[in-house]
Amino acid sequence: MGNTFCFFCGCIQQSNVGVVEKWGRFSRLAQPGFHFFNPLAGECLAGLLSTRICSLDVRVETKTKDNVFVQLLCSIQYRVVKENADDAFYELQNPQEQIQAYVFDVTRAIVPRMNLDELFEQKDHVAKAVLEELAKVMGDYGYSIEHILMVDIIPDPSVRKAMNEINAAQRMQLASVYKGEAEKVLQVKKAEAEAESKYLGGVGVARQRQAITDGLRENILNFSHKVEGASPKEVMDLIMITQYFDTIKDLGNSSKNTTVFIPHGPGHVRDIGDQIRNGLMEASSAQVNLD
């Protein structure tokens, strides 16, 4: 239901206030409820004002201290003060235009003193300055400024593109630094792992050779004790020939094996045995000289 009136009476809804005139002059304010008017005495309802909070969006274009043109989108929330509704009714013909004019004036006085980055950081300061100025001015006209929100700051499209490119370049630079550090750590760890692997591989080869040497020594001694008249040299030749034929057998069992012994033949096993024997003797001689 809305506000209903007839010639002698009227009903004013909640959140509204009526302005009553007598012989064309302001008489009183009519609060929400049912009211009687005396037309014989010149009384009539001149108009109604809403006391609800209204919102006005204002778009202001200005430039910053570093010569960047920006658009500020402000949202002003205001209302009529019930006690001063007569001032709001009679003093201002278009309050929205009045509010918009003061927003233009204040923002264009403050923003040119700030850089673009400062404007983004201190937009609440701009909103506070606009609120203080509007509250002081519009209060004389029966309006109360409740809130002012700096909804958005929109720079020129070319400036926005440049800012995004700068931000992207900075992030790429930071990402390159982190990537380089990660690759450095990876290379260091890889080098340490390779060094440790080679060290352990060397230890394994040394132990393998030591085990082979011990095994050969033990076989030679056992064979010499069990077979009378067999010299260590003959036993060594026999072991080498046996290992030679075992190796040939393994090569023959695998079709994918590409290992080739040069020279090839049982007669050359003696030469290989002589080389191993001479190497062992030289190592033993070097060990004696060191002791």
Coordinates of all heavy atoms in Angstrom, one line a residue, residues 186-258:
L186 N 70.0 -28.8 -8.1 CA 69.8 -30.1 -8.7 C 71.2 -30.5 -9.3 O 71.6 -31.7 -9.2 CB 68.8 -30.0 -9.9 CG 68.5 -31.3 -10.7 CD1 67.9 -32.3 -9.7 CD2 67.6 -31.0 -11.8
Q187 N 71.9 -29.6 -9.9 CA 73.2 -29.9 -10.5 C 74.2 -30.3 -9.4 O 75.0 -31.3 -9.5 CB 73.8 -28.8 -11.3 CG 73.0 -28.5 -12.6 CD 73.1 -29.6 -13.6 OE1 74.1 -30.3 -13.6 NE2 72.1 -29.7 -14.4
V188 N 74.2 -29.6 -8.3 CA 75.1 -29.9 -7.1 C 74.8 -31.3 -6.6 O 75.7 -32.1 -6.4 CB 75.0 -28.8 -6.0 CG1 75.7 -29.3 -4.8 CG2 75.5 -27.5 -6.5
K189 N 73.5 -31.6 -6.4 CA 73.1 -32.9 -5.8 C 73.4 -34.0 -6.8 O 73.9 -35.1 -6.4 CB 71.6 -32.9 -5.5 CG 71.2 -31.9 -4.4 CD 71.9 -32.4 -3.1 CE 71.5 -31.4 -1.9 NZ 72.2 -31.8 -0.7
K190 N 73.3 -33.7 -8.1 CA 73.6 -34.7 -9.1 C 75.1 -35.0 -9.1 O 75.5 -36.1 -9.2 CB 73.1 -34.2 -10.5 CG 73.3 -35.2 -11.6 CD 72.8 -34.6 -12.9 CE 73.0 -35.7 -14.1 NZ 72.6 -35.1 -15.4
A191 N 75.9 -33.9 -9.0 CA 77.4 -34.1 -9.0 C 77.8 -34.9 -7.7 O 78.6 -35.8 -7.8 CB 78.1 -32.8 -9.0
E192 N 77.2 -34.5 -6.6 CA 77.5 -35.3 -5.4 C 77.1 -36.7 -5.5 O 77.8 -37.6 -5.0 CB 76.7 -34.6 -4.2 CG 77.3 -33.2 -3.8 CD 76.5 -32.6 -2.7 OE1 75.5 -33.2 -2.3 OE2 76.9 -31.5 -2.2
A193 N 75.9 -37.0 -6.1 CA 75.5 -38.4 -6.3 C 76.4 -39.1 -7.2 O 76.7 -40.3 -6.9 CB 74.0 -38.4 -6.8
E194 N 76.9 -38.5 -8.3 CA 77.8 -39.2 -9.2 C 79.1 -39.4 -8.5 O 79.7 -40.5 -8.7 CB 78.0 -38.3 -10.4 CG 76.8 -38.2 -11.4 CD 77.1 -37.3 -12.6 OE1 78.1 -36.7 -12.6 OE2 76.2 -37.3 -13.5
A195 N 79.6 -38.5 -7.7 CA 80.9 -38.7 -7.0 C 80.7 -39.9 -6.0 O 81.6 -40.7 -5.9 CB 81.3 -37.4 -6.3
E196 N 79.6 -39.9 -5.3 CA 79.4 -41.0 -4.3 C 79.2 -42.3 -5.1 O 79.8 -43.3 -4.6 CB 78.1 -40.7 -3.5 CG 77.8 -41.7 -2.4 CD 78.9 -41.6 -1.3 OE1 79.6 -40.6 -1.2 OE2 78.9 -42.5 -0.5
S197 N 78.6 -42.3 -6.2 CA 78.4 -43.5 -7.0 C 79.7 -44.0 -7.5 O 80.0 -45.2 -7.4 CB 77.4 -43.2 -8.2 OG 77.3 -44.4 -9.0
K198 N 80.6 -43.1 -8.0 CA 81.9 -43.5 -8.5 C 82.8 -44.1 -7.4 O 83.5 -45.0 -7.5 CB 82.6 -42.4 -9.2 CG 81.9 -42.0 -10.5 CD 82.6 -40.9 -11.2 CE 81.9 -40.5 -12.5 NZ 82.6 -39.3 -13.2
Y199 N 82.6 -43.4 -6.2 CA 83.4 -43.9 -5.1 C 83.0 -45.3 -4.6 O 83.9 -46.2 -4.5 CB 83.2 -42.9 -3.9 CG 83.8 -43.4 -2.6 CD1 85.2 -43.4 -2.4 CD2 83.0 -43.9 -1.6 CE1 85.7 -43.8 -1.2 CE2 83.5 -44.3 -0.4 CZ 84.9 -44.3 -0.2 OH 85.4 -44.8 1.0
L200 N 81.7 -45.4 -4.5 CA 81.2 -46.8 -4.1 C 81.5 -47.8 -5.2 O 81.8 -49.0 -4.9 CB 79.7 -46.7 -3.9 CG 79.3 -45.8 -2.7 CD1 77.7 -45.8 -2.6 CD2 79.9 -46.4 -1.4
G201 N 81.4 -47.4 -6.5 CA 81.8 -48.3 -7.6 C 83.3 -48.7 -7.5 O 83.6 -49.9 -7.7
G202 N 84.1 -47.7 -7.2 CA 85.6 -48.1 -7.0 C 85.8 -49.0 -5.9 O 86.6 -49.9 -6.0
V203 N 85.1 -48.7 -4.8 CA 85.2 -49.6 -3.6 C 84.8 -51.0 -4.0 O 85.4 -52.1 -3.6 CB 84.4 -49.1 -2.4 CG1 84.4 -50.1 -1.3 CG2 85.0 -47.8 -1.9
G204 N 83.6 -51.1 -4.8 CA 83.1 -52.4 -5.2 C 84.1 -53.2 -6.1 O 84.3 -54.4 -5.9
V205 N 84.7 -52.4 -7.0 CA 85.7 -53.1 -7.9 C 86.9 -53.5 -7.2 O 87.4 -54.6 -7.4 CB 86.1 -52.1 -9.1 CG1 87.2 -52.6 -9.9 CG2 84.9 -51.8 -10.0
A206 N 87.3 -52.7 -6.2 CA 88.5 -53.1 -5.4 C 88.2 -54.4 -4.6 O 89.0 -55.3 -4.6 CB 88.9 -51.9 -4.5
R207 N 87.1 -54.4 -4.0 CA 86.7 -55.6 -3.3 C 86.5 -56.8 -4.2 O 86.9 -57.9 -3.8 CB 85.4 -55.3 -2.5 CG 85.6 -54.3 -1.4 CD 84.2 -54.1 -0.7 NE 84.4 -53.1 0.4 CZ 83.4 -52.7 1.2 NH1 82.2 -53.0 0.9 NH2 83.6 -51.8 2.2
Q208 N 86.0 -56.6 -5.4 CA 85.8 -57.7 -6.3 C 87.2 -58.3 -6.7 O 87.4 -59.5 -6.7 CB 85.0 -57.2 -7.5 CG 84.8 -58.3 -8.6 CD 84.2 -57.7 -9.8 OE1 84.2 -56.5 -10.0 NE2 83.6 -58.6 -10.6
R209 N 88.1 -57.4 -7.0 CA 89.4 -57.9 -7.4 C 90.1 -58.5 -6.3 O 90.8 -59.5 -6.5 CB 90.2 -56.7 -7.9 CG 89.7 -56.1 -9.3 CD 90.5 -54.9 -9.7 NE 90.0 -54.4 -11.0 CZ 90.4 -53.3 -11.6 NH1 91.3 -52.5 -11.0 NH2 89.9 -52.9 -12.7
Q210 N 89.9 -58.0 -5.1 CA 90.5 -58.6 -3.9 C 89.9 -60.0 -3.7 O 90.7 -61.0 -3.4 CB 90.3 -57.8 -2.6 CG 90.9 -58.3 -1.4 CD 92.4 -58.3 -1.5 OE1 93.0 -57.4 -2.0 NE2 93.1 -59.4 -0.9
A211 N 88.6 -60.2 -3.9 CA 88.0 -61.5 -3.7 C 88.5 -62.4 -4.8 O 88.7 -63.6 -4.5 CB 86.5 -61.3 -3.8
I212 N 88.6 -62.0 -6.0 CA 89.1 -62.8 -7.1 C 90.6 -63.3 -6.8 O 90.9 -64.5 -7.0 CB 89.1 -62.1 -8.5 CG1 87.6 -61.8 -8.9 CG2 89.8 -62.9 -9.5 CD1 87.5 -61.0 -10.1
T213 N 91.4 -62.3 -6.3 CA 92.8 -62.7 -6.0 C 92.8 -63.7 -4.9 O 93.6 -64.7 -4.9 CB 93.5 -61.4 -5.6 OG1 93.5 -60.5 -6.7 CG2 95.0 -61.7 -5.3
D214 N 92.0 -63.5 -3.8 CA 92.0 -64.4 -2.7 C 91.5 -65.8 -3.2 O 92.0 -66.9 -2.8 CB 91.1 -63.9 -1.6 CG 91.6 -62.7 -1.0 OD1 92.9 -62.4 -1.1 OD2 90.9 -61.9 -0.3
G215 N 90.4 -65.8 -4.1 CA 89.9 -67.1 -4.6 C 90.9 -67.8 -5.4 O 91.1 -69.0 -5.3
L216 N 91.6 -67.1 -6.3 CA 92.7 -67.7 -7.1 C 93.8 -68.3 -6.2 O 94.3 -69.4 -6.4 CB 93.2 -66.7 -8.1 CG 92.3 -66.3 -9.2 CD1 92.9 -65.2 -10.1 CD2 92.0 -67.5 -10.1
R217 N 94.2 -67.5 -5.2 CA 95.3 -68.0 -4.3 C 94.8 -69.3 -3.6 O 95.6 -70.2 -3.5 CB 95.6 -66.9 -3.3 CG 96.8 -67.3 -2.4 CD 97.0 -66.2 -1.3 NE 97.4 -65.0 -1.9 CZ 96.7 -63.9 -1.9 NH1 95.5 -63.9 -1.4 NH2 97.1 -62.8 -2.5
E218 N 93.6 -69.3 -3.1 CA 93.1 -70.4 -2.4 C 93.0 -71.7 -3.3 O 93.4 -72.8 -2.9 CB 91.7 -70.1 -1.7 CG 91.2 -71.2 -0.9 CD 89.9 -70.8 -0.2 OE1 89.5 -69.7 -0.4 OE2 89.3 -71.7 0.4
N219 N 92.5 -71.5 -4.5 CA 92.4 -72.6 -5.4 C 93.8 -73.1 -5.8 O 94.0 -74.4 -5.9 CB 91.7 -72.1 -6.7 CG 90.3 -71.9 -6.5 OD1 89.7 -72.4 -5.6 ND2 89.6 -71.0 -7.3
I220 N 94.7 -72.2 -6.0 CA 96.1 -72.7 -6.3 C 96.7 -73.5 -5.2 O 97.3 -74.6 -5.4 CB 97.0 -71.5 -6.7 CG1 96.5 -70.9 -8.0 CG2 98.5 -71.9 -6.8 CD1 97.2 -69.6 -8.3
L221 N 96.5 -73.0 -4.0 CA 97.1 -73.7 -2.8 C 96.4 -75.1 -2.6 O 97.1 -76.1 -2.4 CB 96.9 -72.9 -1.6 CG 97.8 -71.6 -1.5 CD1 97.5 -70.8 -0.3 CD2 99.3 -71.9 -1.6
N222 N 95.1 -75.1 -2.7 CA 94.4 -76.4 -2.6 C 94.7 -77.4 -3.6 O 94.9 -78.6 -3.4 CB 92.8 -76.1 -2.6 CG 92.4 -75.4 -1.4 OD1 93.0 -75.4 -0.3 ND2 91.2 -74.7 -1.5
F223 N 94.8 -77.0 -4.9 CA 95.2 -77.9 -6.0 C 96.6 -78.4 -5.8 O 96.9 -79.6 -6.1 CB 95.0 -77.2 -7.3 CG 94.9 -78.1 -8.5 CD1 93.7 -78.6 -8.9 CD2 96.1 -78.4 -9.2 CE1 93.6 -79.5 -10.0 CE2 96.0 -79.3 -10.3 CZ 94.8 -79.8 -10.7
S224 N 97.5 -77.5 -5.4 CA 98.9 -77.9 -5.3 C 99.0 -79.0 -4.2 O 99.9 -79.9 -4.3 CB 99.8 -76.7 -4.9 OG 99.7 -75.8 -6.0
H225 N 98.2 -78.9 -3.1 CA 98.3 -79.8 -2.0 C 97.7 -81.2 -2.4 O 98.2 -82.2 -2.0 CB 97.6 -79.3 -0.7 CG 98.4 -78.1 -0.1 ND1 99.8 -78.2 0.1 CD2 98.0 -76.9 0.3 CE1 100.2 -77.0 0.7 NE2 99.1 -76.2 0.8
K226 N 96.6 -81.1 -3.2 CA 95.9 -82.4 -3.5 C 96.6 -83.1 -4.7 O 96.4 -84.3 -4.8 CB 94.5 -82.1 -3.8 CG 93.7 -81.6 -2.6 CD 92.2 -81.3 -3.0 CE 91.5 -80.8 -1.7 NZ 90.1 -80.5 -2.0
V227 N 97.2 -82.4 -5.6 CA 97.8 -83.1 -6.8 C 99.3 -82.9 -6.6 O 99.8 -81.8 -6.7 CB 97.3 -82.4 -8.1 CG1 98.0 -83.1 -9.3 CG2 95.8 -82.6 -8.2
E228 N 100.0 -84.0 -6.4 CA 101.4 -83.9 -6.2 C 102.1 -83.6 -7.5 O 101.7 -84.1 -8.6 CB 102.0 -85.2 -5.6 CG 101.4 -85.5 -4.2 CD 102.0 -86.8 -3.7 OE1 102.7 -87.5 -4.4 OE2 101.6 -87.2 -2.5
G229 N 103.1 -82.8 -7.4 CA 103.9 -82.5 -8.6 C 103.4 -81.3 -9.4 O 104.0 -80.9 -10.4
A230 N 102.2 -80.8 -9.1 CA 101.7 -79.7 -9.8 C 102.2 -78.4 -9.3 O 102.1 -78.1 -8.1 CB 100.1 -79.7 -9.7
S231 N 102.8 -77.6 -10.2 CA 103.4 -76.3 -9.8 C 102.3 -75.2 -9.8 O 101.2 -75.4 -10.5 CB 104.5 -75.9 -10.8 OG 103.9 -75.7 -12.0
P232 N 102.5 -74.2 -9.1 CA 101.5 -73.1 -9.1 C 101.2 -72.5 -10.5 O 100.1 -72.1 -10.8 CB 102.1 -72.0 -8.1 CG 102.9 -72.8 -7.2 CD 103.5 -73.9 -8.1
K233 N 102.3 -72.5 -11.3 CA 102.1 -72.0 -12.6 C 101.1 -72.8 -13.5 O 100.3 -72.3 -14.2 CB 103.5 -71.9 -13.3 CG 103.4 -71.3 -14.7 CD 104.8 -71.1 -15.3 CE 104.8 -70.5 -16.7 NZ 103.9 -71.2 -17.6
E234 N 101.3 -74.2 -13.3 CA 100.4 -75.0 -14.1 C 99.0 -74.9 -13.6 O 98.0 -75.0 -14.4 CB 100.9 -76.5 -14.0 CG 102.3 -76.7 -14.6 CD 102.8 -78.1 -14.4 OE1 102.3 -78.7 -13.4 OE2 103.7 -78.5 -15.1
V235 N 98.8 -74.8 -12.3 CA 97.5 -74.7 -11.7 C 96.8 -73.4 -12.2 O 95.6 -73.3 -12.6 CB 97.5 -74.7 -10.2 CG1 96.1 -74.4 -9.6 CG2 98.1 -76.0 -9.7
M236 N 97.6 -72.3 -12.3 CA 97.1 -71.0 -12.8 C 96.7 -71.1 -14.2 O 95.6 -70.6 -14.6 CB 98.2 -69.9 -12.6 CG 97.7 -68.5 -12.9 SD 96.5 -68.0 -11.7 CE 96.1 -66.4 -12.3
D237 N 97.5 -71.8 -15.0 CA 97.1 -72.0 -16.4 C 95.8 -72.8 -16.6 O 95.0 -72.5 -17.4 CB 98.2 -72.7 -17.2 CG 99.5 -71.8 -17.3 OD1 99.3 -70.6 -17.1 OD2 100.6 -72.4 -17.5
L238 N 95.7 -73.8 -15.7 CA 94.5 -74.6 -15.8 C 93.2 -73.8 -15.4 O 92.2 -73.9 -16.1 CB 94.6 -75.8 -14.9 CG 93.4 -76.8 -14.8 CD1 93.1 -77.4 -16.2 CD2 93.7 -77.9 -13.8
I239 N 93.4 -73.0 -14.4 CA 92.2 -72.2 -14.0 C 91.8 -71.2 -15.1 O 90.7 -70.9 -15.4 CB 92.6 -71.4 -12.7 CG1 92.7 -72.5 -11.5 CG2 91.5 -70.4 -12.3 CD1 93.1 -71.8 -10.2
M240 N 92.8 -70.6 -15.7 CA 92.6 -69.6 -16.7 C 91.9 -70.2 -17.9 O 91.0 -69.7 -18.5 CB 93.9 -68.9 -17.2 CG 94.5 -68.0 -16.1 SD 93.4 -66.7 -15.6 CE 93.3 -65.8 -17.2
I241 N 92.3 -71.5 -18.3 CA 91.7 -72.2 -19.4 C 90.2 -72.5 -19.1 O 89.3 -72.4 -19.9 CB 92.5 -73.4 -19.8 CG1 93.8 -73.1 -20.4 CG2 91.7 -74.3 -20.7 CD1 94.7 -74.2 -20.6
T242 N 90.0 -72.9 -17.8 CA 88.7 -73.3 -17.4 C 87.8 -72.0 -17.5 O 86.6 -72.1 -18.0 CB 88.7 -73.8 -16.0 OG1 89.5 -75.0 -15.9 CG2 87.3 -74.2 -15.5
Q243 N 88.3 -70.9 -17.0 CA 87.5 -69.7 -17.0 C 87.3 -69.2 -18.5 O 86.2 -68.7 -18.8 CB 88.2 -68.6 -16.2 CG 88.2 -68.8 -14.7 CD 88.8 -67.7 -14.0 OE1 89.4 -66.8 -14.6 NE2 88.6 -67.7 -12.6
Y244 N 88.2 -69.5 -19.3 CA 88.1 -69.1 -20.7 C 87.0 -69.8 -21.4 O 86.1 -69.2 -22.1 CB 89.4 -69.4 -21.5 CG 89.4 -69.2 -22.9 CD1 89.4 -67.9 -23.5 CD2 89.3 -70.3 -23.8 CE1 89.4 -67.8 -24.9 CE2 89.2 -70.2 -25.1 CZ 89.2 -68.9 -25.7 OH 89.2 -68.8 -27.1
F245 N 86.9 -71.2 -21.2 CA 85.9 -72.0 -21.8 C 84.5 -71.6 -21.2 O 83.5 -71.7 -21.9 CB 86.2 -73.4 -21.7 CG 87.2 -73.9 -22.6 CD1 88.5 -74.3 -22.2 CD2 86.9 -74.0 -24.0 CE1 89.4 -74.8 -23.2 CE2 87.8 -74.4 -24.9 CZ 89.1 -74.8 -24.5
D246 N 84.5 -71.3 -19.9 CA 83.2 -70.9 -19.3 C 82.7 -69.6 -19.9 O 81.5 -69.4 -20.2 CB 83.4 -70.7 -17.8 CG 83.6 -72.0 -17.0 OD1 83.2 -73.0 -17.6 OD2 84.1 -72.0 -15.9
T247 N 83.6 -68.7 -20.2 CA 83.3 -67.4 -20.9 C 82.7 -67.7 -22.3 O 81.7 -67.1 -22.7 CB 84.5 -66.5 -20.9 OG1 84.9 -66.3 -19.6 CG2 84.1 -65.1 -21.5
I248 N 83.4 -68.5 -23.0 CA 83.0 -68.8 -24.4 C 81.6 -69.5 -24.3 O 80.7 -69.2 -25.2 CB 84.0 -69.8 -25.1 CG1 85.3 -69.1 -25.2 CG2 83.4 -70.3 -26.4 CD1 85.2 -67.8 -26.1
K249 N 81.3 -70.3 -23.3 CA 80.0 -70.9 -23.2 C 78.9 -69.9 -23.0 O 77.9 -69.9 -23.6 CB 80.1 -72.0 -22.1 CG 78.7 -72.7 -21.8 CD 78.9 -73.7 -20.7 CE 77.5 -74.3 -20.4 NZ 77.6 -75.3 -19.3
D250 N 79.2 -68.9 -22.1 CA 78.2 -67.9 -21.8 C 78.0 -67.0 -23.0 O 76.8 -66.6 -23.3 CB 78.7 -67.0 -20.6 CG 78.8 -67.8 -19.3 OD1 78.0 -68.8 -19.2 OD2 79.5 -67.3 -18.4
L251 N 79.0 -66.7 -23.8 CA 78.8 -65.9 -25.0 C 78.0 -66.7 -26.0 O 77.2 -66.1 -26.7 CB 80.2 -65.6 -25.6 CG 81.0 -64.6 -24.8 CD1 82.4 -64.4 -25.4 CD2 80.3 -63.2 -24.7
G252 N 78.2 -68.0 -26.1 CA 77.4 -68.8 -27.0 C 75.9 -68.9 -26.6 O 75.1 -69.0 -27.5
N253 N 75.6 -68.9 -25.4 CA 74.2 -69.0 -24.9 C 73.4 -67.7 -25.1 O 72.2 -67.8 -25.1 CB 74.2 -69.4 -23.4 CG 74.7 -70.8 -23.2 OD1 74.7 -71.6 -24.1 ND2 75.3 -71.0 -22.0
S254 N 74.1 -66.6 -25.3 CA 73.3 -65.3 -25.5 C 73.5 -64.9 -27.0 O 74.6 -64.7 -27.4 CB 73.9 -64.3 -24.6 OG 73.3 -63.0 -24.8
S255 N 72.3 -64.7 -27.6 CA 72.3 -64.3 -29.0 C 72.6 -62.8 -29.2 O 72.9 -62.4 -30.3 CB 71.0 -64.7 -29.7 OG 69.9 -64.1 -29.0
K256 N 72.3 -62.1 -28.1 CA 72.5 -60.6 -28.2 C 73.8 -60.1 -27.8 O 74.1 -58.9 -27.7 CB 71.4 -59.9 -27.4 CG 70.0 -60.2 -27.9 CD 68.9 -59.5 -27.1 CE 67.5 -59.8 -27.6 NZ 66.5 -59.1 -26.8
N257 N 74.7 -61.0 -27.4 CA 76.0 -60.6 -26.9 C 76.9 -60.2 -28.0 O 77.0 -60.9 -29.1 CB 76.6 -61.8 -26.1 CG 77.5 -61.3 -24.9 OD1 78.2 -60.3 -25.1 ND2 77.4 -62.0 -23.8
T258 N 77.6 -59.1 -27.9 CA 78.5 -58.6 -28.9 C 80.0 -58.5 -28.4 O 80.8 -57.9 -29.0 CB 78.1 -57.2 -29.3 OG1 78.1 -56.3 -28.1 CG2 76.7 -57.2 -29.9

